Amino acid sequence: MKGLNNTRFILLQPSSLPTTKPSAASPPPSPIISSHHRLWLLLFLSLFTLASLLTLLSTASNHSQSLSFSPTLATEATRLPSHIFDTLLHYAALVNSSTHMPEPDMLAIAAVLRRRAPCNMLVFGLGAESPLWRALNHGGRTVFLDENSYYAEYMEGQHPGLETYDVSYTTQVRDLHDLLASARESRNSDCRPVQNLLFSECRLALNDLPNQLYDVNWDVILVDGPRGYSPKSPGRMAAIFTASVLARSAKRDGTTDVMVHDYDREVERMCSEEFLCLENFREETGTPYLAHYVINGGNAARRDTFCSNVKTGEEVEVEVVCAHLKLKV
């Protein structure tokens, strides 16, 4: 134990970390200060919630406006440049296929789009030209209706962003004359030219489309479907009638360009003359397979009848009898 007698112990206490005893006189934290902090926190959370709500409403509003395009808001900035428009047409015309529309017909439709786009365009029928119509209507809204839900789904997959809806047709080409006679009998009621098709009982009215489509002011309507090459095909009677009513029932003053493809066939020609009317016919298409009509809407639309040369009741009765006789044969 000898060595321990000379050992010294040195205790080091850092002066840079002084310790102070709490003063007994120091008051506890003020409850007023804590309450003040809570008020600021509550105010911040309220402002954050309000900003988030306004952002959500603004996004929903923009989405709603995109579903209902207004041509009055379109500017030259949204219109497809002419050189791109011409280039798309050029390469589309180079495609040589039996499934494609003849070049004169395609150019005639493009001429209308060049004048009206960007616009609201409704197309009955999907086909090889569908992506072209959508591209030429750059900045507008292009909607396609097709009888084949599987083909509509396929086209949406091949061309993302393509707006398509499937539609059910209850008509057949062989019923053409009977359907026309029935529409004439009901032209002052169920088959009148201006009406809400959503609630229509006319045999030619398409009343099962998405509700939003009935409220759109269509600027261009192209009837290129459904099938109409055989007696049991749906035919385009309902499509042409519906196109005529949609054009006339527009909630804005102006005109709708309605084009009917395969105009050389009986159904297309007779229904166009019946519901689109020769007085609205335009002859500048340059092709016998495409008919172009310009229909007045809004306050200028005729509400009593489709055409000025209305047939008499006796003529309608004769056509009904002939239609029934033809069906029996």
Side-chain angles (χ1 to χ4, degrees), residues 11-292:
L11 178 62
L12 299 177
Q13 183 174 356
S15 60
S16 59
L17 297 173
T19 57
T20 58
K21 294 182 179 181
S23 174
S26 299
S30 173
I32 298 179
I33 297 176
S34 299
S35 176
H36 182 68
H37 289 169
R38 284 196 295 269
L39 287 175
W40 274 108
L41 179 62
L42 181 61
L43 179 60
F44 173 78
L45 292 176
S46 300
L47 290 175
F48 180 78
T49 303
L50 179 61
S52 300
L53 181 60
L54 290 176
T55 302
L56 179 63
L57 293 176
S58 176
T59 303
S61 176
N62 291 337
H63 178 69
S64 175
Q65 290 177 1
S66 66
L67 291 179
S68 182
F69 171 78
S70 176
T72 58
L73 301 178
T75 62
E76 288 298 325
T78 61
R79 186 187 299 273
L80 194 67
S82 297
H83 65 282
I84 297 180
F85 193 103
D86 295 335
T87 301
L88 289 173
L89 272 180
H90 171 73
Y91 282 104
L94 291 179
V95 178
N96 186 12
S97 172
S98 59
T99 62
H100 284 70
M101 183 181 294
E103 182 179 355
D105 304 3
M106 183 175 60
L107 294 177
I109 297 171
V112 175
L113 281 176
R114 188 189 296 272
R115 177 170 50 87
R116 298 300 301 262
C119 64
N120 289 317
M121 181 180 187
L122 180 64
V123 183
F124 290 87
L126 277 166
E129 293 77 26
S130 297
L132 177 65
W133 306 145
R134 179 193 175 202
L136 297 183
N137 191 29
H138 175 73
R141 182 186 183 188
T142 309
V143 177
F144 298 91
L145 305 176
D146 198 82
E147 59 182 306
N148 191 329
S149 59
Y150 297 102
Y151 186 56
E153 185 177 356
Y154 167 79
M155 289 293 286
E156 286 180 339
Q158 293 293 310
H159 307 280
L162 201 70
E163 186 177 0
T164 66
Y165 302 97
D166 60 279
V167 56
S168 299
Y169 292 93
T170 59
T171 58
Q172 291 185 334
V173 170
R174 62 185 180 183
D175 299 330
L176 168 64
H177 297 280
D178 179 53
L179 289 169
L180 286 179
S182 175
R184 290 165 186 161
E185 287 182 318
S186 305
R187 64 189 172 202
N188 294 322
S189 54
D190 293 334
C191 299
R192 59 189 182 277
V194 177
Q195 60 172 302
N196 188 341
L197 288 170
L198 185 61
F199 306 103
S200 179
E201 295 295 330
C202 182
R203 293 171 61 187
L204 288 176
L206 295 177
N207 55 13
D208 60 345
L209 302 178
N211 293 2
Q212 48 148 327
L213 299 184
Y214 296 107
D215 297 326
V216 177
N217 294 321
W218 300 106
D219 304 295
V220 177
I221 301 179
L222 172 61
V223 179
D224 196 20
R227 293 170 295 117
Y229 48 77
S230 69
K232 293 185 178 182
S233 297
R236 299 177 184 175
M237 299 82 72
I240 295 174
F241 174 84
T242 299
S244 176
V245 174
L246 288 175
R248 298 171 192 273
S249 303
K251 297 178 178 60
R252 55 94 176 96
D253 292 334
T255 60
T256 300
D257 290 88
V258 181
M259 292 170 285
V260 180
H261 195 226
D262 299 316
Y263 188 69
D264 55 313
R265 300 190 303 202
E266 182 184 27
V267 167
E268 283 76 3
R269 187 185 70 258
M270 290 191 65
C271 289
S272 295
E273 293 178 358
E274 184 74 24
F275 303 118
L276 299 175
C277 310
L278 290 176
E279 65 245 37
N280 301 318
F281 184 73
R282 300 293 182 269
E283 299 181 355
E284 70 273 12
T285 62
T287 168
Y289 306 110
L290 183 75
H292 179 200

